[in-house]
Amino acid sequence: MQASREKIPGVVVAGLRGGSGKTIISLGITAAWKNSGIRVSAFKKGPDYIDAGWLSKAAGRPCYNLDTFLCRPEVVQASYATHSQNSDIAVVEGNRGLYDGIDIDGSTSTSELAKLLNLPVLLVLDCTKSTRTMAALLMGCMQFDPQIHICGVVLNRVAGKRHEGKVRANIERFCNIPVFGA
């Protein structure tokens, strides 16, 4: 990796658990940016090939896996730098929950990948049958590891405008984090 290479901005899309909607949000963001003329590099955390295939389709270019279990940190960093260099922005889809890793320290977690790449996290919140509790969960995620920068949230599985409004109001009041969509 060349020292003069400029780091491409990016975002890590994470959730509170598997099945929270990370893939659909990652695909939507990637496709929307690509369709508006932004060159997007797509990445998938871990050895997953199914989501990577969909992300590749959305980006119109190959998606690369970033595997912090099988690869050394410098290899993951070099892969990100190399495969994002001809892009305007990168989207990295995490896996499992934000802090879920192979041990009690969260090794190989999506949060550790975000720190390794120095990228902010867009957190997808599954709001099924919850309102104010979503603000409490988000606050916990924000305070659990102060090195993680949660730049915003997307509310998934809201029951309608009223439900969205309640969740949005609580997050904005208690967490001071932008809600980018629902």
Side-chain angles (χ1 to χ4, degrees):
M1 190 167 93
Q2 299 171 354
S4 63
R5 188 179 293 166
E6 192 175 317
K7 184 175 185 268
I8 301 299
V11 64
V12 174
V13 179
L16 298 181
R17 61 175 177 79
S20 62
K22 295 179 298 293
T23 300
I24 196 72
I25 299 303
S26 297
L27 291 171
I29 291 168
T30 301
W33 281 340
K34 177 192 169 256
N35 292 340
S36 66
I38 297 170
R39 296 173 301 168
V40 184
S41 285
F43 297 90
K44 173 64 182 172
K45 181 194 172 294
D48 185 308
Y49 63 92
I50 296 171
D51 292 350
W54 287 111
L55 285 163
S56 177
K57 186 86 165 158
R61 55 175 42 185
C63 173
Y64 295 91
N65 295 90
L66 300 173
D67 194 328
T68 55
F69 178 75
L70 295 174
C71 299
R72 293 184 319 274
E74 57 273 12
V75 172
V76 173
Q77 290 170 317
S79 179
Y80 177 83
T82 298
H83 296 112
S84 64
Q85 69 182 2
N86 294 319
S87 301
D88 300 312
I89 196 160
V91 174
V92 179
E93 181 190 344
N95 72 340
R96 309 247 180 230
L98 175 61
Y99 294 108
D100 297 333
I102 61 171
D103 56 26
I104 195 166
D105 295 320
S107 299
T108 73
S109 66
T110 297
S111 62
E112 291 302 308
L113 178 61
K115 287 193 289 190
L116 180 66
L117 299 177
N118 194 28
L119 293 176
V121 172
L122 174 65
L123 196 59
V124 179
L125 298 177
D126 179 344
C127 300
T128 303
K129 299 179 183 181
S130 300
T131 54
R132 192 169 188 235
T133 299
M134 298 316 301
L137 289 170
L138 175 56
M139 190 176 293
C141 286
M142 293 166 54
Q143 294 177 1
F144 191 76
D145 184 345
Q147 292 180 320
I148 296 299
H149 172 61
I150 299 174
C151 63
V153 297
V154 172
L155 309 178
N156 196 20
R157 297 186 182 106
V158 293
K161 288 289 182 191
R162 182 172 177 261
H163 183 204
E164 175 190 343
K166 286 182 177 189
V167 177
R168 187 182 289 266
N170 278 288
I171 287 173
E172 290 171 352
R173 177 178 179 192
F174 294 108
C175 302
N176 197 29
I177 291 281
V179 176
F180 290 125

